[in-house]
Amino acid sequence: MKTFLKLKDALFSNWHITFLTICSLITSFYIIYEISLWSIINATFINDFQICKDNFNIGACWGFVYEKWETIFYSQYPTHISFRPILSSLILILPLLYIVIKKKFDISTFFILLVSCILSYFIMAGGFFFLENVDTRYFGGIFLTLFIGVFSNILGLPLALLLAFSRNSNNIFVRYSSAIFVEIFRGLPLIATLFVFVIIFPLITQDSINLDMFFIICIAFVFLNAAYLSEILRSGINSIPSNQIHSAKSLNFSKYQIICNIILPQVFVKMFTPLVNQFVSIMKESTLVSVVGMFDLLGSLNLALGDSQWRIFYIEGIIFVAAIYWLFCKILLIYADRVSEKFYKEYRL
Amino acid sequence: MIKISNVSKLYSNEIVLNNLNFEILQGEKIAICGPSGSGKSTLLKCLIGIEDHDSGEIFIDNVLLDKTDKTKKQVRSKVSFVFQNFNLFPHLNVMSNLTLPLIKVLKLSKEEAEKIALANLEKVCMAEHVNKFINELSGGQQQRVAIARALCINAKIICLDEPTSSLDPELVKEVLDTILNLSKDNITVICVTHEMAFAKKMADKILFLDKGNLISFTDTDVFFNYSNELRVKNFLDKLLI
C-alpha cells in the first residue's frame, strides 16, 4: 500500500507529470507490442524456408537460427567432431562463471583461466590420443570469441604490469623500450595492428605458406591489450602517494614486497572498474579478426549468410549473435559489480 | 650512536643542509627545532637514507650510510621512523598495518606479530580500534597508530617528524609520556617539532637549525635560559610562552 501511494505520488502528482506518465506509457506499450508482435506472436520457429518466406514481412524467422546455429557456433570446424568446440567453449565459460560466483580476483584466478585456455586450445587443435589434428585456421565461432577475450586478458595483464613498472624504472633502456612499446600499440587501431602482424610475421619467420593466423592474432590482441591495460595500471601506480612508499622503505620492506603488499592491492582496487572496461572492450573488438580471414561469432554469421536462400533473414541472425555478445559482456559486468562491492567491504577504498 | 660529519645537501643549487657536524649518544632524547624550511625534516630523512645526502658522512651505530641498498637496510633495521603525515597503508586495517612489517620483514609468525602489535597499541591507548580502517580514524588516532607501528620494530633509534602537529593538547601529553617511557629501554629519540613547550619537556638536548646551518646544539636548560646565539634569542623572543 505504501509503495502504491509512493508510486501514485511519483507518477500522478500534478497534471504535467500525469501527462508525461501517460505519454511514456503509451509509447512504451506501443514499442513493446510491435516488438513482441514481430519477434514472438507472428514469428516462425521452424526451419521451413517456405513458411518463413511467406511470413517474411509479418514476423521473425527464428528457424534461420535453428537452421544455421552449427555454422554460427562452430564456423568452419569439421562438423563430425563438433563436440570439441562445445567442450572447449564450456571449459572457457565454466571457470569464468565460477570466478564470477566466487568473486575471485587474485593469483589463483589467473592460473585457473590460463589452464582453461591451454586446455581448450589443445582440445580444439587435437593431434593426440584419439583426437584428430585440426588446423587452427578452422577455429572459429563462439570458441574464437571466448578464447580471444579470455586469453588476451589473461596474458595481457601480467605483461601490462611489467610494462607499467618498467615505465617507472630508473634504468633508461628499460624505461624507453617500455614507453616505445606502449606508445606504438596505443597509437595503432586494432585493424592496423592485425594487418601489420599478418605482414610482419612471415617476414621474420621467412615462411609465408604455413602462416598460423590464429597464433598471430592472439599475439596481436595480447600486445594491444597489454598496452592499454598498462596505461590504466600506471595511472593507478602513480596515484599512490610517494609518502607511502617512503614509509614502506623505512620499515625495511624490499622492493618486491612493496610492490606486492603495498602498491598492487591498492592499484587493483582503485583501477578495477577501468580494467574491466578494457576486458569487455577487447572481448567485443574480437569481431575484427574477420578482416584477416578468421571467423569469430559475427564472422561465422556472415559465413552462414553466404547461403543465398536464407540470406534475407540476416536481422534475426544479428539479433541472435548480439544477444550472445551481450551475455558475455554482461557476465563480465556482473563480475565487476560483485568484486568492487567485495573490495569495498575488505579495503574500504 | 649517531655521528654526522660535514653533511651537506642541495635541492637544485639551493643549500638545504650546510656542513653539519654533531654526535648523538645512545639513550639521548634530541629535539630538532627551527623555523619552517630550515631543513629539519630533510635532516631526519637523510638519517635513514630516504633522501640521499650529497657530501659528508653519516654513521649510525658504527655503520657508514652510503647509497647502497645493503647499508640502507642495515640502518633501517636500527631506526624506525614516524612520518609527519603518518603514511599508514589505507588498504589495511590498524592491526594489519602493524603486523605486515613484522611478518614480512622480521619473519615473525602471525600470532607473535599480533601479540607485539596489541601490546604497542595498548601503550598508545588504541587497542580498541584494531579492526578499524585508516580512513575511519581521526588524525590524532592515526598519529598514535603510526607511533605504535614504529615501536613494534623494536628499534634502537626512533625518529619522529612533527609527532604532535595534528594532536589535541591532551593527546600531546599522551605522546609525550609514551616518548618519555622509551628512555627506560635506552632508546634514542630524535624528534622534529614546532612546539617548544613539548621540546622543553621531552628533550635532553636541543638542536637548532636555521636555513640549513647548525646554530646551536646544547642541553635543553642551556638552550632556553642561557643561550648566547642571537638567532636563538630572536627565535625564543617570538614564542608565546
Side-chain angles (χ1 to χ4, degrees):
Chain A
M1 195 60 203
K2 211 172 185 181
T3 45
F4 175 74
L5 283 175
K6 237 182 199 172
L7 212 62
K8 194 189 153 206
D9 199 40
L11 297 176
F12 303 102
S13 56
N14 55 36
W15 72 265
H16 52 263
I17 286 185
T18 313
F19 177 71
L20 284 177
T21 308
I22 291 169
C23 278
S24 51
L25 276 177
I26 290 170
T27 335
S28 44
F29 272 126
Y30 179 72
I31 292 171
I32 291 169
Y33 173 72
E34 284 292 313
I35 287 177
S36 53
L37 202 64
W38 180 79
S39 66
I40 299 166
I41 299 168
N42 290 334
T44 319
F45 291 93
I46 46 169
N47 54 339
D48 186 321
F49 179 69
Q50 206 50 49
I51 297 174
C52 272
K53 206 180 174 198
D54 294 342
N55 205 18
F56 180 58
N57 282 324
I58 307 160
C61 171
W62 299 116
F64 168 76
V65 175
Y66 188 63
E67 173 80 17
K68 295 290 180 191
W69 71 274
E70 281 184 316
T71 317
I72 296 174
F73 275 16
Y74 318 138
S75 185
Q76 294 166 304
Y77 205 78
T79 38
H80 65 284
I81 42 172
S82 61
F83 75 93
R84 276 159 66 180
I86 298 178
L87 190 62
S88 300
S89 306
L90 281 179
I91 285 175
L92 283 172
I93 199 103
L94 288 180
L96 214 59
L97 287 176
Y98 168 77
I99 284 160
V100 175
I101 290 165
K102 288 278 174 187
K103 307 182 204 172
K104 282 170 88 73
F105 186 75
D106 51 20
I107 195 89
S108 67
T109 321
F110 170 74
F111 284 113
I112 290 171
L113 288 177
L114 189 64
V115 167
S116 68
C117 273
I118 294 168
L119 210 61
S120 66
Y121 171 78
F122 277 113
I123 287 173
M124 283 296 275
F128 55 94
F129 297 140
F130 55 90
L131 299 172
E132 62 182 278
N133 195 4
V134 178
D135 197 288
T136 51
R137 73 195 140 109
Y138 297 122
F139 288 10
I142 211 159
F143 166 79
L144 192 64
T145 298
L146 272 174
F147 188 85
I148 289 175
V150 175
F151 186 76
S152 58
N153 287 323
I154 227 59
L155 284 199
L157 200 57
L159 185 58
L161 271 179
L162 199 69
L163 286 170
F165 279 109
S166 41
R167 230 179 146 175
N168 287 344
S169 155
N170 291 328
N171 184 327
I172 289 179
F173 178 72
V174 172
R175 189 166 70 231
Y176 279 100
S177 39
S178 145
I180 288 169
F181 182 96
V182 171
E183 291 309 325
I184 285 177
F185 282 99
R186 224 156 57 103
L188 278 177
L190 181 58
I191 285 193
T193 317
L194 287 173
F195 274 129
V196 166
F197 267 65
V198 170
I199 293 162
I200 284 179
F201 262 86
L203 291 180
I204 297 171
T205 54
Q206 299 290 323
D207 182 1
S208 57
I209 304 150
N210 295 323
L211 196 66
D212 193 338
M213 200 69 86
F214 178 72
F215 172 71
I216 292 172
I217 57 171
C218 281
I219 294 199
F221 268 90
V222 168
F223 280 8
L224 192 96
N225 198 23
Y228 281 109
L229 289 173
S230 86
E231 286 298 289
I232 296 172
L233 290 173
R234 192 165 70 98
S235 64
I237 293 168
N238 291 346
S239 79
I240 290 173
S242 61
N243 289 332
Q244 275 187 43
I245 313 298
H246 285 168
S247 129
K249 275 186 190 163
S250 84
L251 291 165
N252 236 342
F253 283 108
S254 67
K255 264 185 193 162
Y256 179 73
Q257 284 171 331
I258 293 179
I259 289 175
C260 289
N261 294 303
I262 314 295
I263 298 180
L264 282 189
Q266 294 189 61
V267 167
F268 279 125
V269 171
K270 278 183 188 170
M271 290 294 141
F272 189 71
T273 318
L275 281 177
V276 175
N277 249 346
Q278 179 59 23
F279 293 167
V280 172
S281 137
I282 206 82
M283 190 134 186
K284 289 190 288 190
E285 277 171 9
S286 66
T287 48
L288 288 176
V289 296
S290 54
V291 299
V292 291
M294 295 290 289
F295 297 100
D296 76 311
L297 209 47
L298 195 65
S300 312
L301 175 69
N302 285 328
L303 212 61
L305 290 171
D307 186 340
S308 58
Q309 198 184 12
W310 289 94
R311 201 184 177 92
I312 46 172
F313 303 111
Y314 65 95
I315 292 178
E316 288 85 340
I318 286 173
I319 290 175
F320 177 66
V321 167
I324 295 174
Y325 273 110
W326 181 83
L327 195 70
F328 288 162
C329 296
K330 190 65 196 166
I331 290 174
L332 277 176
L333 293 175
I334 290 172
Y335 174 62
D337 283 351
R338 288 172 68 92
V339 174
S340 10
E341 203 177 303
K342 178 182 131 178
F343 276 158
Y344 180 74
K345 272 186 198 146
E346 264 178 37
Y347 299 112
R348 309 287 161 84
L349 279 175
Chain B
M1 197 69 187
I2 298 176
K3 189 165 177 249
I4 287 183
S5 53
N6 305 322
V7 167
S8 299
K9 176 157 182 67
L10 303 163
Y11 278 141
S12 56
N13 296 330
E14 193 187 332
I15 298 171
V16 190
L17 297 176
N18 187 11
N19 215 11
L20 301 183
N21 285 293
F22 62 89
E23 203 169 331
I24 296 172
L25 303 174
Q26 185 162 2
E28 277 187 321
K29 293 189 286 300
I30 311 293
I32 303 179
C33 301
S36 294
S38 55
K40 308 184 292 288
S41 294
T42 310
L43 172 61
L44 216 54
K45 281 175 185 164
C46 283
L47 288 182
I48 58 166
I50 286 178
E51 304 255 5
D52 288 324
H53 52 282
D54 291 320
S55 62
E57 285 167 336
I58 296 178
F59 288 93
I60 308 254
D61 207 14
N62 298 323
V63 177
L64 174 63
L65 180 65
D66 53 27
K67 281 165 191 168
T68 59
D69 280 348
K70 197 185 152 204
T71 57
K72 279 184 183 173
K73 282 215 141 176
Q74 266 182 316
V75 165
R76 285 169 190 166
S77 68
K78 289 168 184 158
V79 185
S80 64
F81 202 105
V82 180
F83 287 83
Q84 187 170 9
N85 32 16
F86 331 129
N87 299 353
L88 297 164
F89 304 127
H91 62 297
L92 300 172
N93 64 12
V94 170
M95 182 52 103
S96 308
N97 256 292
L98 268 70
T99 53
L100 189 71
L102 296 176
I103 293 169
K104 296 287 173 188
V105 180
L106 301 180
K107 311 281 178 210
L108 296 179
S109 72
K110 196 164 179 261
E111 290 77 34
E112 280 179 285
E114 282 183 356
K115 221 167 107 185
I116 294 172
L118 210 57
N120 283 301
L121 281 173
E122 268 163 17
K123 271 189 203 168
V124 292
C125 307
M126 285 293 293
E128 68 264 41
H129 301 291
V130 279
N131 290 320
K132 283 196 179 165
F133 277 81
I134 299 308
N135 53 14
E136 294 169 320
L137 300 176
S138 72
Q141 288 171 325
Q142 289 186 30
Q143 180 66 279
R144 284 186 282 161
V145 173
I147 292 173
R149 183 171 74 179
L151 294 178
C152 276
I153 299 163
N154 213 359
K156 287 179 180 175
I157 302 167
I158 291 187
C159 295
L160 303 110
D161 195 354
E162 307 261 2
T164 54
S165 59
S166 57
L167 299 180
D168 64 53
E170 285 176 37
L171 295 176
V172 171
K173 176 78 170 56
E174 276 174 31
V175 172
L176 180 68
D177 290 341
T178 316
I179 293 172
L180 292 177
N181 271 334
L182 296 177
S183 58
K184 284 180 202 154
D185 308 329
N186 214 14
I187 292 174
T188 311
V189 179
I190 304 170
C191 177
V192 166
T193 184
H194 269 124
E195 278 191 54
M196 297 315 289
F198 178 79
K200 198 174 187 175
K201 288 205 177 102
M202 188 233 26
D204 300 330
K205 279 180 166 179
I206 289 188
L207 196 151
F208 189 83
L209 288 178
D210 185 34
K211 289 173 189 154
N213 296 301
L214 181 65
I215 307 291
S216 91
F217 184 40
T218 54
D219 287 348
T220 310
D221 189 35
V222 177
F223 177 81
F224 279 101
N225 302 322
Y226 311 107
S227 185
N228 305 323
E229 293 283 344
L230 195 61
R231 184 69 189 86
V232 175
K233 277 182 183 168
N234 275 338
F235 184 77
L236 290 176
D237 281 345
K238 283 174 192 154
L239 291 179
L240 299 174
I241 307 174

